[in-house]
Amino acid sequence: MSDTIERVKKVVAETLKIETSMIKDESRFVEDLGAESIQSVELVAAFEEEFDIEMDEQGALGVKDVGTAVTFIEKHL
Amino acid sequence: MTTSNTYKPLTDQQVEQIKTQGCRADDWSAVTVADGFDPGRVHDVHFEGSVKIGSLAGTVTSASGLDRPCGIEEATLINCTLGDGVRIANVGSHIANYRVGDGACIEDVGVIQTNPSATFGNGTEVEVLNEGGGREVSVFNAMSSQFAHLWCMHRYRPKFIDKLEAFAKAQADSARSDTGTIGSGAKVSAVGRIIDVNIGDAATVWGASALVNGTILSTDDAPTLIGDGVQAHDFIVGEGTKVTQGAIVAKSFVGQGCQVGKQFSAEGSLFFANCEAFHGEACSIFAGPYTVTHHKSTLLIAGLFSFYNAGSGTNQSNHMYKLGPVHEGKLERGCKTGSFSYMMWPCRVGPFSVVLGKHTRTFDLSDLPFSHIEAAHDGRCMVVPGLNLSTVGTIRDGAKWPTRDRRMGQLKRDRISFDVFSPMVVGRMINGHDRIKELIANTDKSVDTVTIEGAQVKRVLLRGGVKYYRSGIYTYLLEKVVSRIERAVEQGVSLDKALADTPGSAYSEKWVDIGGQMMPAKRLEDLYADVESDKIADVAAFEEALDTIHVAYADDEWAWVRQAYKKVFEADLDAFKAEDAVKIADQLLTDQSKFLKLILIDAGKEFDTVTQVGFGQDGSADDVAADFKAVRGEYDTNKFVKQMKQAVEDLNTRIEKLKQALAVCA
């Protein structure tokens, strides 16, 4: 779990070009981390590559914050 | 236009009467009248040359909607023929060399005159796409978007182009006349100057400033309106079109069912069926069917568009040249440009793509339809391939265009293929899919972005592009095959017969979009050959050939689907069995349901908390949601959302029904 969180934060930081320290478990991608609409697509793609999984797009695009992203990804691992 | 009257000279008594009513003539014997002529309805008229007058009985409806008595008052008529039931009043200077149809009403005009050998806008050379010339199209009344597209864009077929030019010249020559026409039931009021302009039946010209060298095509079933403050020079306006509110139209063709107004300025441009142009400017553009621009500061220049929506401040430039303007842009059908988007031509944007930001690099994304194309801060083009495939906008646009065809008359000159998914677009998706797969295979994971035809893609997004395109391709092909099987089951036709090629269909891997009409490249090759060999020798035969191609669309599409299915699924429809039908029905259910659910997710974004920012003015946090609900409604009750949910249910029902029927057949 903790490993997944750290890797998720690393991906988020790289994709949104922000410091990892700014990212909390409860951070919302749009409201708190300033993700643009298109970056949500990029985040899904980056998670897929980082964890070598194929995420269900219907669910993935509904993930709005770091915590739910971690839960969602762990289901696919 | 009727006026089939027999005219006879005025009697001495009639001459005396109208003289006492303030009328004069250079030669009274040249003034002739029809049976039923009422001299009591002619006051203060000066007749010059040959003037023929109809019965003048009854009343006629004026442009303002009032019923006014027929007759002629305060006018100078020079070489005119008037039909029955006409009203002409308050002509400042004169009406010269015109035939005026039955029931026409002309009031409060400055001058209406036809000069010798007028062509009424026909033969006007419009410098489309390139202000410096090279793609000139000489417009004529019967010109379709297909004719214009081929003439303008296919200069690489010089023999073919020479023939089209000859066809167009013959049309312009046949329009040539010393006499203009104001059609039956036409209403012309409060217009300053009308010179060398034909006005069709039932047209209304009310408040225009000046109309010079043009034709206003109009029919009883598709009346045309030219309104306040319009200035039009060297023009043709199609049936059912409205040009109003201070629009300026110069050296331009405006097709059927269009709306041009609110001070829009068009120069050197062609607009075809159902275009809308307000506030902004068009210069040397080819506006195919459903090109729409509504906002100020929007300049469309040197571009080819169709099914297009321009955001406010959209702009392009073609000025990066030394020897004249050589740069052109192509936005293929279904594109949108966001507010203040800019493209430095030359660029080519694939179908149904969205362009945002300021692009200062050349790119060609024809093979990446449905893409999200955004400019980086340094002007580089960043593309997300296929992202728009499952957006609400694409689906809604596809549904709305056929319902917004404003061409009211029976005659529809432009042939329009409305399908969003077609062999042309799906063929591009196949190309894009293959290209991206190749890029994935050849790109190391350490690479951040890859370049594709002048644009850049984040490497991690390549896989998504493949998925989007694969989903679109599968859904299209499976839907086509399954619906054919459904029809076969319903009609008791065997599967092998139902899935066979239709005799007479044409197959090409490549399809083309000719001014809104899609067709296999082979059909176009045949058309070229028929024109170049004189088998097709005039515009009528040319248009008839295009009609035949249009009618064959579904059969040609099926021929393409058969081949594409073989390539994509590596399965031959000629060897198709009932169990295969069940399998692909299930696959369609899976793929299409997923696709529809993605659209629902996209629709959901319009109801999330981020979208609600700006609502609930002066209220509490609770008021935000309440205000949003009051203004925008709720996700679950939204009409589009309900339609999509219903579509998922209908698909389930449909596939279950098919599988049951197939089980019975087996």
Side-chain angles (χ1 to χ4, degrees):
Chain A
M1 176 73 176
S2 62
D3 178 52
T4 307
I5 290 173
E6 293 316 308
R7 287 167 69 190
V8 164
K9 286 182 180 176
K10 180 178 97 68
V11 168
V12 172
E14 285 171 3
T15 305
L16 303 185
K17 301 198 174 5
I18 55 175
E19 294 294 326
T20 316
S21 58
M22 290 172 62
I23 306 167
K24 313 286 180 225
D25 292 4
E26 63 278 13
S27 294
R28 294 170 298 176
F29 297 124
V30 177
E31 294 93 328
D32 302 326
L33 303 178
E36 293 168 12
S37 154
I38 208 69
Q39 286 176 315
S40 59
V41 179
E42 210 176 318
L43 274 172
V44 172
F47 290 144
E48 286 188 336
E49 182 165 292
E50 172 67 22
F51 295 98
D52 196 20
I53 54 173
E54 184 133 352
M55 292 167 71
D56 161 23
E57 282 167 46
Q58 286 166 242
L61 290 173
V63 170
K64 308 281 187 199
D65 58 58
V66 173
T68 50
V70 171
T71 310
F72 190 83
I73 288 165
E74 290 196 325
K75 273 191 209 160
H76 287 77
L77 287 174
Chain B
M1 183 76 196
T2 46
T3 63
S4 55
N5 283 326
T6 305
Y7 298 91
K8 58 190 179 185
L10 289 164
T11 63
D12 291 346
Q13 194 178 6
Q14 286 172 327
V15 170
E16 286 310 312
Q17 183 181 342
I18 60 176
K19 273 182 170 175
T20 63
Q21 291 164 188
C23 297
R24 60 199 168 94
D26 295 355
D27 176 4
W28 282 109
S29 69
V31 180
T32 53
V33 296
D35 284 341
F37 169 72
D38 178 357
R41 290 172 178 255
V42 181
H43 294 262
D44 303 306
V45 181
H46 179 198
F47 299 101
E48 290 182 36
S50 166
V51 176
K52 298 173 181 171
I53 307 170
S55 68
L56 301 184
T59 61
V60 68
T61 306
S62 69
S64 67
L66 288 179
D67 282 345
R68 304 302 312 280
C70 295
I72 313 170
E73 300 167 13
E74 298 187 36
T76 295
L77 301 180
I78 306 167
N79 297 321
C80 288
T81 299
L82 313 185
D84 294 334
V86 164
R87 173 177 171 79
I88 296 176
N90 301 327
V91 177
S93 181
H94 58 264
I95 300 176
N97 308 319
Y98 264 87
R99 278 185 300 273
V100 178
D102 297 345
C105 180
I106 303 169
E107 297 176 314
D108 305 319
V109 295
V111 55
I112 301 179
Q113 176 177 316
T114 300
N115 292 308
S117 289
T119 58
F120 310 97
N122 287 266
T124 296
E125 273 198 357
V126 179
E127 287 162 344
V128 194
L129 268 86
N130 198 306
E131 300 148 272
R135 294 197 188 280
E136 299 90 344
V137 166
S138 296
V139 299
F140 54 92
N141 292 346
M143 188 170 75
S144 67
S145 59
Q146 283 71 46
F147 189 100
H149 177 107
L150 290 168
W151 189 2
C152 178
M153 307 306 300
H154 291 211
R155 296 292 164 123
Y156 48 86
R157 296 285 298 219
K159 193 172 176 189
F160 175 73
I161 294 301
D162 286 348
K163 298 286 182 185
L164 296 193
E165 192 173 342
F167 295 173
K169 186 174 182 309
Q171 292 282 313
D173 287 344
S174 70
R176 193 178 301 280
S177 176
D178 297 338
T179 306
T181 300
I182 294 174
S184 297
K187 300 169 180 59
V188 181
S189 180
V191 182
R193 195 157 51 104
I194 297 178
I195 305 291
D196 296 337
V197 175
N198 276 339
I199 298 173
D201 292 350
T204 297
V205 182
W206 191 12
S209 294
L211 307 175
V212 179
N213 188 33
T215 295
I216 300 161
L217 298 165
S218 180
T219 54
D220 287 335
D221 58 0
T224 302
L225 170 66
I226 309 295
D228 285 345
V230 170
Q231 296 177 47
H233 292 249
D234 309 313
F235 67 96
I236 291 172
V237 172
E239 295 90 342
T241 280
K242 292 178 181 175
V243 181
T244 56
Q245 299 165 311
I248 298 173
V249 175
K251 293 185 85 171
S252 292
F253 179 96
V254 183
Q256 295 176 307
C258 296
Q259 294 186 350
V260 179
K262 298 177 183 171
Q263 300 179 312
F264 189 83
S265 159
E267 180 153 7
S269 295
L270 308 177
F271 297 83
F272 291 97
N274 301 312
C275 285
E276 291 176 19
F278 301 128
H279 294 301
E281 179 184 355
C283 179
S284 291
I285 68 162
F286 189 112
Y290 293 91
T291 297
V292 173
T293 171
H294 278 181
H295 303 287
K296 280 192 193 294
S297 309
T298 294
L299 166 67
L300 303 180
I301 186 166
L304 173 74
F305 310 90
S306 65
F307 301 92
Y308 165 62
N309 197 327
S312 64
T314 288
N315 193 0
Q316 313 89 46
S317 60
N318 62 337
H319 58 233
M320 296 295 286
Y321 54 80
K322 306 284 189 295
L323 295 172
V326 297
H327 297 152
E328 305 171 354
K330 313 285 159 59
L331 268 71
E332 298 192 70
R333 63 166 53 211
C335 287
K336 294 178 197 291
T337 46
S339 298
F340 292 100
S341 73
Y342 165 84
M343 277 178 284
M344 192 173 74
W345 296 147
C347 284
R348 192 185 282 264
V349 181
F352 300 100
S353 295
V354 169
V355 180
L356 303 173
K358 184 172 181 179
H359 294 265
T360 56
R361 315 279 170 91
T362 290
F363 56 85
D364 178 354
L365 297 175
S366 328
D367 280 336
L368 298 181
F370 299 102
S371 286
H372 179 96
I373 299 168
E374 196 162 344
H377 294 302
D378 60 2
R380 279 176 304 133
C381 171
M382 304 299 297
V383 59
V384 185
L387 183 67
N388 291 330
L389 249 172
S390 54
T391 59
V392 170
T394 304
I395 302 304
R396 286 191 66 210
D397 282 349
K400 87 184 174 196
W401 285 315
T403 64
R404 294 187 183 178
D405 191 344
R406 283 191 300 262
R407 295 174 298 168
M408 296 169 281
Q410 285 197 326
L411 172 67
K412 293 179 174 60
R413 271 186 207 96
D414 306 338
R415 292 149 206 87
I416 300 177
S417 314
F418 286 105
D419 289 353
V420 171
F421 296 99
S422 63
M424 189 203 85
V425 173
V426 178
R428 301 289 187 83
M429 285 160 67
I430 292 173
N431 295 344
H433 172 271
D434 295 351
R435 177 86 172 93
I436 297 171
K437 276 190 89 170
E438 183 187 297
L439 277 171
I440 292 172
N442 296 321
T443 307
D444 188 83
K445 280 196 171 181
S446 61
V447 173
D448 181 52
T449 57
V450 295
T451 302
I452 180 164
E453 320 306 345
Q456 295 197 306
V457 192
K458 291 253 175 111
R459 184 190 49 75
V460 292
L461 294 173
L462 290 172
R463 266 175 37 166
V466 168
K467 274 200 287 187
Y468 292 131
Y469 286 144
R470 189 173 56 212
S471 160
I473 295 161
Y474 281 21
T475 304
Y476 169 76
L477 292 175
L478 292 170
E479 172 62 42
K480 288 291 163 189
V481 176
V482 168
S483 43
R484 205 145 174 121
I485 294 168
E486 285 176 312
R487 277 201 302 277
V489 169
E490 264 177 41
Q491 295 164 3
V493 176
S494 67
L495 275 183
D496 57 341
K497 202 171 172 187
L499 300 178
D501 250 336
T502 312
S505 62
Y507 171 76
S508 296
E509 186 176 0
K510 181 183 173 184
W511 274 52
V512 289
D513 185 352
I514 305 297
Q517 180 182 6
M518 293 186 282
M519 64 183 77
K522 185 182 182 317
R523 294 275 187 198
L524 180 60
E525 287 293 335
D526 292 346
L527 183 69
Y528 285 148
D530 287 347
V531 169
E532 287 167 359
S533 67
D534 294 328
K535 191 173 165 192
I536 290 173
D538 58 23
V539 168
F542 185 85
E543 297 295 335
E544 199 179 319
L546 285 163
D547 283 339
T548 304
I549 294 171
H550 196 47
V551 168
Y553 176 90
D555 292 341
D556 292 348
E557 182 188 35
W558 177 244
W560 189 89
V561 166
R562 279 171 48 84
Q563 297 303 320
Y565 189 92
K566 190 185 278 185
K567 181 183 169 188
V568 170
F569 295 111
E570 295 176 347
D572 192 345
L573 287 175
D574 289 333
F576 208 74
K577 300 279 183 294
E579 53 267 33
D580 299 321
V582 174
K583 272 187 211 160
I584 71 158
D586 279 334
Q587 193 180 349
L588 175 65
L589 180 61
T590 305
D591 290 351
Q592 196 156 325
S593 300
K594 196 174 164 187
F595 182 72
L596 291 169
K597 284 172 185 168
L598 284 174
I599 295 164
L600 281 167
I601 290 170
D602 193 52
K605 288 177 192 165
E606 302 208 6
F607 293 87
D608 67 18
T609 51
V610 175
T611 309
Q612 293 179 18
V613 170
F615 285 82
Q617 185 74 25
D618 306 320
S620 66
D622 289 343
D623 293 330
V624 172
D627 190 35
F628 186 86
K629 183 179 167 186
V631 176
R632 295 287 295 135
E634 291 180 291
Y635 176 81
D636 286 329
T637 53
N638 178 270
K639 190 179 163 194
F640 179 82
V641 170
K642 281 162 76 177
Q643 279 172 354
M644 286 297 105
K645 285 182 174 173
Q646 188 61 48
V648 176
E649 280 182 33
D650 290 349
L651 180 66
N652 271 291
T653 310
R654 195 183 136 202
I655 298 301
E656 195 48 45
K657 188 178 160 196
L658 175 64
K659 282 162 68 177
Q660 284 171 8
L662 286 167
V664 170
C665 293

